[in-house]
Amino acid sequence: MSVKPLSYYRERYIRFQPSPFCPGCGNGIILNCFVRAVDELGIPQKQILCVSGIGCSAWIPSPNFRGDTLHTTHGRAIAFATGAKVYNPDLYTVVFTGDGDGAGIGGNHLIHAARRNIDITVILVNNLSYAMTGGQIAPTTLHGLRTTTSPYGNPEHPFDLVKLVAAAGATYVARWTTYHVVELTRSIEEALQHRGFSFIEVLSQCPTQQRRLFGFRDPMRRLPSRILEMFAESTYIRGRPQRESYLYALPRGEPDEALKAVEDALKGLEASARLVDHISYGRVVRVDSEDLEAVSERLSHLSAVERLVDALEGKIELGVFVREHRPEFTESLRMLIERAGGMR
Ligand SMILES: Cc1ncc(C[n+]2csc(CCOP(=O)(O)OP(=O)(O)O)c2C)c(N)n1
Ligand code: SF4
Ligand SMILES: [Mg+2]
């Protein structure tokens, strides 16, 4: 991957500065990864069509990307993109959509585009809520999270979008986070080159709404990095060897008090403890040690600890989940039209 100065990408690919996003929003990171992928592949900008619906993530290409962009209606970006791609199959057609836009109101378009295996790349920004309209519950909001429409916690369970889209028939399916910029950029490159329906879910930070979701009280300037650290802590990449010489102690009360109790209990052992954010369990004590059996023995009866959790439990799996080939929709359609023409 070649690295050029930021000014190069800005001048060549970005139409408007400053961006419309809140400071620290993940959408800017995703735009950055996208233009680097386009640049790396050397795709001429006039061969790219970016299509988006409604929501903060819809603003990633429109009006920011210097190229053709189609800013459509809520949930319908894939339907517009299908029309454009059928009319001009030579276009690299890329849909930027939010989790509400793509998996809520537009969920039906998503699964049917995957079923058809139409040659479109969908980049779905999962910020776990309807961010633009105030952080309402979405079909991707994690169980128990507090949103403006679930103030006592989300009683529902979220879609696993990767499984959903894979089951519907997509031929390239991946999931990354805004922390994993190198992997995400490479995955966008791969998706753009893939002939068929490609789908990348990007777990993204929205400091403005996730402050409530995760109950963070820090000043705004500290939130983006805290959320990114949480993404790193709460995910693992499939197929890569994992370090598993640690566990989490879930606090029964205040996390600070649990940390103190854990540190006292571990005295004399080769172990270190610190507070971290875990996307499934909140603020927890992470204990690193080569002797987890002894650690568990000491912590399992502590009143300040509710329960112990293994290194990978409750974590989100990242990586490329599907990479296969089967006939592409616009190609099948072209052959059908030729055949029908010959039969007249
Ligand atoms: C038909 C219709 N319904 C509702 C809205 C209001 N609305 C605008 S953006 C949005 C939420 C978008 O959420 P998401 O797709 O997750 O994007 P984000 O802002 O989180 O990036 C909603 C409900 C609308 N514009 N049109
Ligand atoms: S509300 Fe959230 S997703 Fe929307 S621009 Fe602000 S930080 Fe980004
Ligand atoms: Mg959203």
Side-chain angles (χ1 to χ4, degrees), residues 20-22 25-27 56 127 131-132 205-209:
F21 305 126
C22 308
C25 174
N27 288 342
C56 297
N127 53 22
M132 179 180 259
Q205 83 272 19
C206 163
T208 305
Q209 306 301 350

Side-chain angles (χ1 to χ4, degrees), residues 26-298:
N27 288 342
I29 295 176
I30 296 166
L31 175 62
N32 204 334
C33 294
F34 175 67
V35 300
R36 282 165 199 263
V38 167
D39 192 77
E40 189 70 19
L41 294 176
I43 303 173
Q45 275 147 273
K46 62 176 184 320
Q47 245 182 284
I48 301 172
L49 171 67
C50 294
V51 188
S52 55
I54 298 293
C56 297
S57 33
W59 289 71
I60 294 175
S62 163
N64 295 308
F65 181 66
R66 197 184 284 283
D68 284 337
T69 57
L70 196 56
H71 204 141
T72 70
T73 51
H74 198 20
R76 309 293 169 234
I78 292 177
F80 282 86
T82 300
K85 182 75 188 181
V86 167
Y87 183 73
N88 186 353
D90 293 337
L91 285 178
Y92 286 85
T93 305
V94 187
V95 170
F96 287 86
T97 184
D99 46 336
D101 193 64
I105 186 169
N108 228 24
H109 296 294
L110 179 65
I111 54 174
H112 289 289
R115 175 177 62 80
R116 288 186 194 111
N117 195 33
I118 184 164
D119 186 24
I120 289 174
T121 296
V122 173
I123 299 174
L124 186 146
V125 181
N126 183 1
N127 53 22
L128 307 169
S129 80
Y130 293 111
M132 179 180 259
T133 42
Q136 294 87 354
I137 208 167
T140 46
T141 307
L142 302 178
H143 182 74
L145 290 188
R146 287 169 200 262
T147 71
T148 42
T149 47
S150 62
Y152 302 105
N154 179 13
E156 301 176 9
H157 289 272
F159 270 138
D160 183 329
L161 292 176
V162 153
K163 285 189 183 152
L164 179 75
V165 178
T171 45
Y172 180 89
V173 181
R175 173 163 51 214
W176 300 106
T177 83
T178 40
Y179 177 85
H180 300 85
V181 288
V182 173
E183 291 88 347
L184 175 58
T185 307
R186 289 205 179 117
S187 198
I188 296 174
E189 283 173 32
E190 216 185 325
L192 288 172
Q193 290 173 294
H194 179 78
R195 183 90 179 124
F197 188 79
S198 50
F199 175 83
I200 304 176
E201 176 188 355
V202 190
L203 191 61
S204 176
Q205 83 272 19
C206 163
T208 305
Q209 306 301 350
Q210 288 170 359
R211 183 185 176 82
R212 182 189 306 103
L213 258 64
F214 297 118
F216 290 162
R217 297 200 181 87
D218 315 43
M220 279 305 274
R221 75 188 136 73
R222 166 80 187 111
L223 281 183
S225 57
R226 181 163 175 189
I227 300 169
L228 285 172
E229 280 163 25
M230 179 176 70
F231 287 169
E233 187 72 47
S234 314
T235 54
Y236 64 95
I237 300 177
R238 68 186 339 230
R240 279 198 199 163
Q242 303 300 321
R243 211 168 67 78
E244 294 187 34
S245 54
Y246 63 97
L247 55 71
Y248 299 103
L250 311 193
R252 196 180 297 280
E254 281 302 311
D256 290 330
E257 286 168 21
L259 175 63
K260 175 91 183 49
V262 166
E263 282 173 337
D264 287 346
L266 293 178
K267 276 191 182 130
L269 274 186
E270 282 287 314
S272 65
R274 64 195 158 98
L275 286 175
V276 296
D277 296 308
H278 192 299
I279 200 159
S280 296
Y281 304 116
R283 195 90 176 134
V284 297
V285 183
R286 173 175 162 149
V287 181
D288 285 69
S289 174
E290 292 304 324
D291 189 357
L292 288 182
E293 213 171 304
V295 167
S296 304
E297 181 78 24
R298 296 234 185 141

